[in-house]
Amino acid sequence: MTPEQLRSFCLSFNAAVEEFPFPRVPEVSVYKVGGKMFALTTLDARPLTVNLKCDPEQAISLRAEHPGLIVPGWHMNKRHWNTVTVDAELPDRLVRELIEDSYDLVVAGLPRAERLRLDRP
C-alpha cells in the first residue's frame, strides 16, 4: 500500500477527516471521525507505519502473528493501539481490514445520535 492509497482509504470512511494537530511535527496526519482519532501516520516516513486502534485481545494476537510488522502502538496506549508497518510483507487486504476495524471501534464509542448520523449501528 502506498502513502497515497493509505490516505485515500482512511478518508473514504463516512465523515472521516484528516488533521495535522501537532505544530512541532506538522507532517503527522491524524484521521478522525466524530472528533476522535482512528489512525495516525507520517505519510513520508520510511518504512510507512500507521497507528490503529484495536481490540486488546486481537491486538495481542496480531502482534504474535506478525512480529516486527505489528507492534504495540508507538506513543499510544499499548493495550488499545498497534503500530502497523504498511509493508509488502503485510497484505493490503489485512491493512485495510485493520483500518476499518479501527474506524468501527471509534465509531462504536461515539454517542448514539452520532453513530446513527453515520449510519453505523
Side-chain angles (χ1 to χ4, degrees):
M1 179 177 283
T2 67
E4 296 77 21
Q5 290 170 326
L6 175 64
R7 180 178 186 273
S8 177
F9 189 70
C10 287
L11 290 173
S12 72
F13 295 101
N14 198 8
V17 297
E18 180 181 28
E19 296 181 359
F20 300 90
F22 306 113
R24 289 188 174 171
V25 280
E27 65 276 7
V28 174
S29 299
V30 175
Y31 299 93
K32 294 181 176 184
V33 60
K36 305 288 183 182
M37 177 173 55
F38 70 91
L40 178 143
T41 188
T42 303
L43 292 170
D44 60 357
R46 297 297 173 266
L48 178 60
T49 62
V50 60
N51 284 2
L52 300 169
K53 191 164 187 151
C54 192
D55 172 77
E57 289 181 20
Q58 184 186 22
I60 292 168
S61 173
L62 287 165
R63 294 170 195 166
E65 290 173 29
H66 306 282
L69 297 176
I70 300 178
V71 298
W74 188 70
H75 281 290
M76 307 296 278
N77 179 327
K78 290 166 183 15
R79 184 165 185 258
H80 295 277
W81 290 84
N82 279 337
T83 297
V84 177
T85 301
V86 181
D87 185 85
E89 293 181 48
L90 280 181
D92 286 354
R93 185 175 144 266
L94 174 61
V95 175
R96 285 187 189 96
E97 288 172 4
L98 296 174
I99 294 169
E100 185 173 4
D101 288 349
S102 181
Y103 175 87
D104 288 343
L105 281 169
V106 171
V107 168
L110 295 174
R112 184 173 185 273
E114 183 77 10
R115 288 194 314 269
L116 292 174
R117 188 181 69 73
L118 295 170
D119 294 322
R120 303 290 259 202

